[in-house]
Amino acid sequence: MAIALFCMIVSSGMGGVSLGMIIPLVDNILADRTISIPGSQNVPEFIVDLVNKVNSVPKPVLLNWLVLIVALIFLIKELFLFFQTYFMSKLGQSVLRDVRLAIYKKLLALSNDFYSTMQTGALVSRVTFDVGIIVNSITEGLTDLLLQPIQLVMYLAILIGIKVYFSISWVLILITMLVFPLIVYPVIKIGKKLRKISTSTQESMSDINSLLFETIYGIGVVKSFTAERYQIDKFQTHNYKYFKMLMKSVKRLAIISPLGEFVGVICMAIVLWFGGKEVVEGRLSAGAFIAFLAALLSLIKPFKRLSRLYGINQQALAAITRVFKIMDRELTVKDRSDAIAIVGFKNSIEFKDVDFSYMQGPLVLKKIKVSLPKGKILAIVGLSGAGKSTLVSLLPRFYDPTVGSVLIDGRDIRDFKVSSLRSQIGIVSQENILFNDSIRNNIAFGKPKAGLDDIKKTAKAANAHDFIMKMPNGYDTFIGDRGIRLSGGEKQRIAIARALFKDPPILILDEATSQLDSESERLVHEAIDRLMVHRTVFVIAHRLSTVEHADKIIVLESGGIVESGTHAELLEKSGVYKRLYEIQFKLKAAF
Ligand code: ADP
């Protein structure tokens, strides 16, 4: 910015000097007179000397000099203009780069509750669209903010100089001074409106992005319901709305310049009329008057740019406000200042009188009290919506309990650093999210330097090695967005391999209910059984063999534990579990 500022000063200064060349050009060469300074008693020595020197040079020589000097001045001016543009853009783009990264980091730090309230499209808009507007206001806006005042001061100084040394009448100066408020006022009014429009434009952009994501994500559903027309209509509505909003701001931005110019030209005409009379009547040198006009014209531009800047900044401010809404968002799950790292655990995990509700909603978990010794398996069963997933999501602190606490070896998990806690936990869920990367990077997710041998070993244990080897590039095969090029069973086995590779002491498992063919299901279950060995497991159970082998089973109903015990104990009770067993587990096993 400092370099850019320096370049601005030099290039503007050169602009001012080139303007001064007008006086000898008009007076000495074109009008065939000499430069005269009417108010010569106030004029400093060096100006009188300079004027006398210029007056004494023969005209052809003076013309040669003028042309040469002007060419040189413009060379310097344009050179510095280049550096100014380059460094200013570099500044803007660097800010853009850093802000984008900062938002991305913040998005990764934000907790799950944030994501259940935000649209994906809106978030993407923040990182792309909004940041773009901000950078525009830096490269364009900041340049103007620095450059235009420099120019303004310089041309004002020239004007005053001409007024002092060439006795320009006060009427001219007054008219000149009247021009500027006339230009600025409407622009400020328009700027305010622009800020409002910018917010609506952004909302439209978010809608477009959201719809785009949904459509791409659910393209299969759209096609199977032949809902293309329906989606296109929706898209067109948003798209058209965005276009209309954008045109509203284009209209307002576009009106600023012509409006300013029109007012400017009217004033210029008046100045021309008054000044022209002074020249005709011999009270003012033609060169000085033209230089005055040129300085005046040059003065209008910075004013116009500064007022347009107001409009740009109003848009940017709206975008910045939205970006800061994310940046300033408090993290609901975060490290305490005295948090310590957890390194493995020894005895047990315990849920102690835990109540939980999503965002001040109704209680989804009530008085949960359960403990599990190290190396054992806890099966959680219950109807859909009973709170099983919510319960296990408290362990890696995706959410914190509303009341009560989760303890590892008797210590509240909020005492531990979140990252160290999560490094102890592996999760295999029903919806196995894979990334558009090679199979090997998906298995060793987050560990780019992992050795292929280790990856292969875990893939074998997860019953994935054979099908991986049949793929065109083996472990280096890219699997498409969310693993779209893999079958359901294959995706699950990669996800299991990924958990095995992480090798965590604690495992959260959500057994798939989706129907796989029996061979594929056997391979997946075999892999899961291997994954569970020697780990402390919380499993949302859907299989008979899981509940049979679990060390403890809890039955959830509307967020509360209604029964607990081993499979045999619970069957004996003839309660809720038995009923569930008869509908869910036995029936499935029979198939
Ligand atoms: P289960 O895993 O047993 O099917 P869940 O734990 O997913 O049950 O859901 C328990 C309850 O919490 C349900 O009533 C569900 O509507 C609600 N719920 C789940 N996730 C959220 C969320 N992100 N925000 C608000 N409510 C939620």
Side-chain angles (χ1 to χ4, degrees):
M1 188 162 133
I3 299 175
L5 188 63
F6 172 74
C7 297
M8 269 175 207
I9 295 174
V10 176
S11 99
S12 304
M14 290 298 138
V17 175
S18 68
L19 207 122
M21 300 282 125
I22 291 177
I23 301 177
L25 182 74
V26 173
D27 282 354
N28 297 58
I29 296 168
L30 299 182
D32 198 11
R33 292 204 195 129
T34 52
I35 305 171
S36 60
I37 310 175
S40 46
Q41 61 271 38
N42 306 324
V43 182
E45 250 339 91
F46 78 96
I47 290 199
V48 180
D49 281 353
L50 190 69
V51 167
N52 288 339
K53 217 173 254 165
V54 171
N55 282 340
S56 66
V57 176
K59 260 191 282 174
V61 181
L62 186 65
L63 185 63
N64 290 348
W65 273 113
L66 277 179
V67 172
L68 261 179
I69 293 171
V70 168
L72 189 70
I73 286 172
F74 271 84
L75 181 71
I76 300 172
K77 180 177 165 204
E78 305 307 328
L79 197 67
F80 277 83
L81 189 64
F82 161 75
F83 285 121
Q84 169 211 310
T85 312
Y86 176 81
F87 284 109
M88 224 46 213
S89 297
K90 189 172 175 186
L91 174 73
Q93 294 298 338
S94 315
V95 170
L96 173 68
R97 180 195 63 203
D98 294 349
V99 170
R100 231 192 266 128
L101 182 66
I103 304 180
Y104 186 71
K105 280 186 179 162
K106 180 76 184 193
L107 285 179
L108 286 184
L110 279 163
S111 337
N112 291 32
D113 58 340
F114 170 77
Y115 287 94
S116 40
T117 57
M118 287 296 281
Q119 279 181 302
T120 321
L123 289 178
V124 173
S125 292
R126 296 290 182 283
V127 183
T128 53
F129 184 80
D130 281 345
V131 177
I133 294 181
I134 299 172
V135 80
N136 186 28
S137 92
I138 296 173
T139 40
E140 252 194 70
L142 195 60
T143 306
D144 277 344
L145 195 68
L146 296 171
L147 175 67
Q148 304 310 338
I150 295 175
Q151 301 222 334
L152 212 63
V153 169
M154 189 184 68
Y155 289 118
L156 260 179
I158 293 177
L159 269 186
I160 292 168
I162 298 174
K163 152 82 189 126
V164 171
Y165 302 134
F166 295 90
S167 58
I168 294 216
S169 84
W170 275 111
V171 184
L172 280 186
I173 303 289
L174 275 179
I175 295 167
T176 316
M177 293 300 137
L178 270 179
V179 182
F180 302 114
L182 284 178
I183 299 175
V184 173
Y185 176 74
V187 177
I188 289 186
K189 282 219 81 107
I190 293 170
K192 287 216 170 96
K193 183 83 192 153
L194 274 173
R195 183 166 183 173
K196 268 197 212 127
I197 296 172
S198 170
T199 307
S200 316
T201 317
Q202 150 64 25
E203 276 159 12
S204 283
M205 195 45 165
S206 295
D207 288 340
I208 290 182
N209 276 339
S210 290
L211 191 67
L212 197 60
F213 273 95
E214 260 176 29
T215 310
I216 295 168
Y217 192 77
I219 190 73
V221 180
V222 174
K223 284 186 187 278
S224 69
F225 280 82
T226 51
E228 287 94 340
R229 192 66 253 168
Y230 176 69
Q231 291 296 94
I232 289 171
D233 285 346
K234 261 210 285 195
F235 189 85
Q236 198 171 1
T237 312
H238 291 313
N239 199 26
Y240 191 71
K241 197 169 146 210
Y242 175 69
F243 166 78
K244 254 173 58 183
M245 284 293 163
L246 205 68
M247 287 319 291
K248 271 189 183 178
S249 54
V250 166
K251 190 165 77 189
R252 283 172 176 78
L253 272 178
I255 214 165
I256 293 178
S257 282
L259 190 73
E261 200 141 323
F262 181 69
V263 179
V265 162
I266 298 255
C267 297
M268 193 59 65
I270 299 172
V271 171
L272 200 62
W273 190 79
F274 269 102
K277 247 169 72 170
E278 304 256 303
V279 175
V280 170
E281 286 161 15
R283 285 195 296 275
L284 182 61
S285 116
F289 177 59
I290 291 176
F292 178 83
L293 267 188
L296 196 58
L297 272 175
S298 313
L299 204 54
I300 289 175
K301 190 174 149 234
F303 253 95
K304 254 172 43 189
R305 299 285 307 187
L306 274 178
S307 39
R308 186 170 167 271
L309 178 70
Y310 185 79
I312 294 179
N313 278 352
Q314 290 303 308
Q315 287 182 315
L317 278 176
I320 287 170
T321 314
R322 288 189 295 268
V323 167
F324 272 98
K325 250 195 196 147
I326 294 182
M327 295 304 286
D328 291 343
R329 177 103 180 197
E330 277 283 327
L331 303 184
T332 44
V333 173
K334 62 180 170 193
D335 283 341
R336 285 184 181 162
S337 55
D338 55 353
I340 54 162
I342 171 174
V343 271
F345 81 108
K346 293 187 190 70
N347 301 315
S348 66
I349 298 172
E350 187 185 353
F351 281 70
K352 198 171 165 194
D353 302 321
V354 169
D355 284 357
F356 179 78
S357 63
Y358 287 101
M359 289 171 296
Q360 283 100 41
L363 280 186
V364 173
L365 294 176
K366 295 164 207 154
K367 298 262 167 305
I368 299 292
K369 201 173 162 63
V370 61
S371 77
L372 184 67
K374 184 176 176 166
K376 303 287 181 192
I377 298 172
L378 174 75
I380 304 158
V381 299
L383 295 175
S384 169
K388 304 181 293 291
S389 317
T390 309
L391 178 74
V392 294
S393 70
L394 300 185
L395 191 53
R397 285 191 73 195
F398 288 155
Y399 300 94
D400 282 333
T402 316
V403 178
S405 50
V406 182
L407 311 168
I408 294 183
D409 288 344
R411 193 153 188 177
D412 193 328
I413 54 172
R414 280 171 287 206
D415 290 344
F416 300 124
K417 288 206 168 82
V418 178
S419 59
S420 75
L421 173 71
R422 289 182 188 158
S423 71
Q424 304 291 316
I425 303 171
I427 302 174
V428 178
S429 63
Q430 291 203 32
E431 198 193 349
N432 290 306
I433 308 283
L434 300 177
F435 293 89
N436 185 14
D437 202 337
S438 64
I439 288 185
R440 76 184 274 177
N441 284 344
N442 266 290
I443 294 178
F445 185 59
K447 294 189 187 108
K449 291 197 187 83
L452 190 57
D453 286 344
D454 292 338
I455 295 174
K456 273 189 183 157
K457 215 168 81 193
T458 45
K460 276 180 190 155
N463 284 343
H465 179 72
D466 291 344
F467 84 79
I468 295 172
M469 290 317 283
K470 285 192 195 124
M471 306 203 79
N473 296 317
Y475 280 84
D476 291 317
T477 311
F478 273 65
I479 55 173
D481 278 350
R482 304 181 307 280
I484 203 156
R485 284 181 215 137
L486 299 177
S487 78
E490 288 167 348
K491 260 190 265 187
Q492 279 183 5
R493 280 176 278 160
I494 298 279
I496 293 166
R498 180 169 67 182
L500 267 171
F501 191 84
K502 187 177 178 187
D503 196 19
I506 304 167
L507 185 68
I508 294 172
L509 201 62
D510 190 351
E511 282 185 336
T513 46
S514 56
Q515 296 294 318
L516 299 172
D517 63 84
S518 51
E519 173 59 9
S520 184
E521 190 162 312
R522 187 186 64 77
L523 291 171
V524 168
H525 290 160
E526 222 175 69
I528 286 181
D529 291 341
R530 276 185 212 135
L531 177 65
M532 296 214 285
V533 175
H534 301 311
R535 289 179 222 279
T536 310
V537 184
F538 290 77
V539 51
I540 298 175
H542 296 287
R543 269 199 305 158
L544 183 61
S545 70
T546 309
V547 284
E548 276 174 352
H549 292 119
D551 298 288
K552 192 188 258 184
I553 301 167
I554 55 173
V555 184
L556 281 187
E557 211 174 57
S558 313
I561 299 181
V562 286
E563 277 177 12
S564 71
T566 61
H567 179 61
E569 285 166 4
L570 288 175
L571 277 186
E572 216 157 89
K573 271 192 193 165
S574 295
V576 187
Y577 179 77
K578 178 134 193 246
R579 246 187 6 255
L580 264 173
Y581 165 72
E582 255 141 32
I583 4 178
Q584 262 194 12
F585 301 103
K586 219 164 129 190
L587 211 68
K588 249 183 132 190
F591 274 101

